[in-house]
């Protein structure tokens, strides 16, 4: 007989409360996780969207890409040896639209490559968020450091860097604006850290992200919130199951007295944990994914189904451990306690 | 014929630094098809003796012989099996499972006793038992909707549905009024005879002795006297 199910059916309110708490905490964790991912994308989608590989900047830049300059000889040598590699530069700046309204952007330029958008001189491709600001294809944009004008050729989806929209420009235009002949960085896809070049420091994708000002501090804070919530939920699971078990000590005692196995009582508790957690997690996964679809355009929110499933698995494991730890007291309950404790 | 006997059973508890001996070498035997009452003042050790006999707590010393085996020497799992299959319990409070209907309480006991009956036979057995305790009409009721007397009748039905050899009852009428107490004792007496089981009942109510076959009086942890 499935006594776990019978108990849940009879005590709907008690289990509904427990399920609601699991649902609310997991939903909160998923939403915070979505915001963390969203902010991460907002900060560095330009880099995060690149394939795994190695970034190189000059050693004397001391891990500050803004200060990096890679001499043309080295650049040409690397690009010729690694045909899929690219040299690129990133600089903060502004563009003024037709109404002379200023928009903060991050200018990105690269040598010929499929990894970044390449445009002709005088052209510009922008992140889609600027389209929402009223800029259209064909508009003319100006920059006070650029003698000529930029014509908007198109928009790309979700290409941000340091919370600013990316603006792809031609290398010649970039060199003119920033009075430089050298690029800051080189990226070689599929390379590993064993590939080194004299005078250049190499970074994995993950290591390079940490060089972005504020990125690591921001992500560390958000990840701490997510994992703090996961730990708190684990403790809540344990506390709630513990309280439920304390209430049921008399019942466990009487069941043991009539000969029910301790393993049956554990199965009863695990079944209840599994049913409650499954229903609560399915609901919170669905709701968080729905929110992912309907989140306001300007809100940095990104929650992949894979992240949600990974977190849901963590919740299951934590729920199982929490319930089991709190259930250890079942083993200690003696059948005699039931007789001494009065009505169950 | 003796089916169950207790030989020189001792039980001591440590209370702080003081060791207190509750049972000081108890001997008794139960006869098949008879109701035996354990009586005595509070603290005489009668309830402790019943719980030791029923395998709910271990004795400090001595033997409990059931089916020619000393079950006091059994491990926890062996004792659990004996409790599940061979013994039945009625406690002072009915101790029914609050989220199971009357029918389900009996079904659970059959499950625990690992009955060999099929579903249909189990249902027939439950119906028969509920008819015996006159609760056929409350089959789908939960314990919370039953009166004290009805709860004890369900507890008795649960205790014997799996046809145990021994029924242990610890003050089964303590929480009932006089009329219901008599009904419960009549039922225990009747079932002991008709099902040919052996019953050990602890009581402090002398009126209930009218329903027993054998009386054992305890005082200060020893058997003071026996009578019929």
């Amino acid at each position: 007989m499935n006594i776990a199910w019978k108990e849940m059916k009879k005590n709907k309110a008690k289990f509904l409360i427990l399920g609601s708490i699991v649902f609310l905490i997991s939903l909160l964790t998923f939403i915070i996780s979505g915001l963390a991912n969203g902010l991460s994308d907002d900060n560095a989608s330009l880099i995060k969207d690149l394939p795994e590989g190695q970034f190189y900047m000059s050693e004397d830049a001391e891990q500050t890409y803004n200060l990096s300059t890679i001499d043309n000889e080295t650049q040409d040598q690397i690009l010729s040896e690694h045909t899929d590699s690219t040299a690129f530069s990133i600089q903060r700046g502004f563009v003024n639209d037709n109404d002379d309204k200023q928009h903060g952007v991050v200018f990105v330029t690269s040598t010929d490559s499929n990894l970044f958008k390449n445009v002709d001189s005088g052209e510009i491709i922008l992140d889609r968020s600027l389209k929402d600001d009223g800029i259209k294809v064909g508009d003319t944009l100006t920059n006070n450091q650029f003698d000529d004008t930029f014509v908007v050729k198109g928009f790309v989806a979700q290409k941000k860097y340091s919370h600013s929209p990316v603006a792809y420009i031609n290398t010649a235009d970039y060199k003119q604006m920033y009075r430089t002949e050298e690029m800051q960085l080189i990226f070689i896809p599929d390379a590993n850290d064993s590939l080194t070049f004299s005078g250049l420091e190499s970074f994995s994708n993950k290591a390079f992200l940490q060089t972005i000002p504020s990125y690591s501090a921001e992500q560390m804070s958000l990840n701490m919130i997510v994992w703090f919530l996961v730990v708190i939920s684990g403790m809540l699971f344990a506390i709630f199951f513990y309280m439920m078990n304390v209430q049921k000590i008399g019942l466990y005692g009487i069941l043991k007295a009539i000969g029910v196995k301790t393993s049956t009582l554990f199965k009863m508790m695990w079944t209840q944990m599994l049913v409650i957690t499954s229903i609560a997690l399915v609901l919170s996964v669905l709701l968080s994914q729905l929110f992912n679809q309907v989140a306001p355009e300007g809100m940095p929110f990104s929650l992949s189904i894979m992240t949600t499933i990974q977190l849901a698995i963590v919740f299951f494991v934590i729920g199982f451990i929490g319930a089991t730890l709190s259930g250890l007291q079942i083993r200690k309950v003696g059948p005699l306690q039931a007789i001494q404790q009065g009505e169950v | 014929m003796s089916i169950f006997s207790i030989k020189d059973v001792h039980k001591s508890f440590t209370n702080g630094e003081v060791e207190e001996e509750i049972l000081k070498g108890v001997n008794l035997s139960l006869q098949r098809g008879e109701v035996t009452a354990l009586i005595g003042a509070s603290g005489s050790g009668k309830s402790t003796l019943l719980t030791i006999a029923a395998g709910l707590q271990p004795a400090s010393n001595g033997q409990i012989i059931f089916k020619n085996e000393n079950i006091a020497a059994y491990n926890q799992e062996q004792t659990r099996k004996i409790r599940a299959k061979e013994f039945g319990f009625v406690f002072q409070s009915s101790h029914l499972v609050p989220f199971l209907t009357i029918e389900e309480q009996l079904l659970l006991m059959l499950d625990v006793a690992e009955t060999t009956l099929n579903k249909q036979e189990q249902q027939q057995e439950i119906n028969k038992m509920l008819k015996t305790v006159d609760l056929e009409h409350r089959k789908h009721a939960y314990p919370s909707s039953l009166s004290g007397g009805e709860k004890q009748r369900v507890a008795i039905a649960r205790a014997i549905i799996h046809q145990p050899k021994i029924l242990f009852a610890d003050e089964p009428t303590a929480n009932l009024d006089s009329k219901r107490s008599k009904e419960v004792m009549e039922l225990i007496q009747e079932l002991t005879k008709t099902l040919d089981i052996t019953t050990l009942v602890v009581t402090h109510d002398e009126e209930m002795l009218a329903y027993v076959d054998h009386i054992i009086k305890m005082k200060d942890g020893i058997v003071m006297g026996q009578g019929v």
Side-chain angles (χ1 to χ4, degrees), chain A residues 168-183:
Chain A
Y168 292 102
I169 55 173
N170 184 268
T171 306
D173 297 345
Y174 172 85
K175 287 178 176 175
Q176 187 208 320
M177 283 166 69
Y178 292 98
R179 313 282 187 264
T180 179
E181 287 302 316
E182 290 150 334
M183 300 294 248

Side-chain angles (χ1 to χ4, degrees), chain A residues 174-203:
Chain A
Y174 172 85
K175 287 178 176 175
Q176 187 208 320
M177 283 166 69
Y178 292 98
R179 313 282 187 264
T180 179
E181 287 302 316
E182 290 150 334
M183 300 294 248
Q184 294 167 333
L185 299 153
I186 288 176
F187 177 69
I188 306 178
D190 301 325
N192 57 44
D193 57 5
S194 62
L195 185 63
T196 56
F197 302 99
S198 168
L200 298 184
E201 190 175 356
S202 74
F203 300 85

Side-chain angles (χ1 to χ4, degrees), chain A residues 198-244:
Chain A
S198 168
L200 298 184
E201 190 175 356
S202 74
F203 300 85
S204 65
N205 293 43
K206 202 174 168 186
F208 184 73
L209 284 172
Q210 302 305 315
T211 68
I212 301 172
S214 83
Y215 181 85
S216 62
E218 185 182 278
Q219 285 304 300
M220 202 186 290
S221 306
L222 289 163
N223 284 333
M224 207 188 87
I225 293 171
V226 170
W227 288 108
F228 189 70
L229 278 171
V230 168
V231 171
I232 290 280
S233 7
M235 287 166 71
L236 273 176
F237 267 68
I239 290 166
F240 273 92
F241 276 100
Y242 176 81
M243 284 164 67
M244 254 175 43

Side-chain angles (χ1 to χ4, degrees), chain A residues 36 45-46 49-50 61 67 77 81 106 126 155-156 172-173 176 197-198 210 273-274 286 291 307 310 329 337:
Chain A
S45 56
L46 177 76
D49 293 348
L50 291 174
L67 304 176
Q77 187 199 331
E81 283 173 11
V106 167
L126 302 167
F155 295 93
V156 286
D173 297 345
Q176 187 208 320
F197 302 99
S198 168
Q210 302 305 315
M273 191 282 301
L274 201 71
L286 288 176
F291 185 75
T307 308
Q310 279 169 353
Q329 62 196 301
Q337 273 175 272

Side-chain angles (χ1 to χ4, degrees), chain A residues 1 6 254 256 259 338 342, chain B residues 80 83 89 91 95 104 111:
Chain A
M1 181 197 289
K6 299 269 179 201
I254 199 69
K256 278 189 171 185
Chain B
R80 183 200 66 76
R83 286 204 308 269
F89 303 94
F91 305 108
H95 285 308
E104 289 164 349
D111 256 11

Side-chain angles (χ1 to χ4, degrees), chain A residues 1 3 6-7 10-11 251 254-261 268 335-336 338-339 342-344, chain B residues 51 56-57 80 83-84 89 91 93-97 99-100 104 107-109 111-112 142 170:
Chain A
M1 181 197 289
I3 49 176
K6 299 269 179 201
E7 187 185 10
K10 184 74 170 62
N11 299 321
L251 172 68
I254 199 69
L255 290 173
K256 278 189 171 185
I258 63 172
V260 174
K261 291 179 190 169
M268 175 182 171
L336 200 56
I339 300 160
E343 275 296 347
V344 292
Chain B
T51 53
L56 295 172
Q57 63 170 322
R80 183 200 66 76
R83 286 204 308 269
F89 303 94
F91 305 108
S93 295
S94 55
H95 285 308
L96 299 175
V97 181
F99 50 82
L100 296 182
E104 289 164 349
L107 210 50
L108 172 68
M109 193 61 235
D111 256 11
V112 171
Y142 284 97
D170 186 14

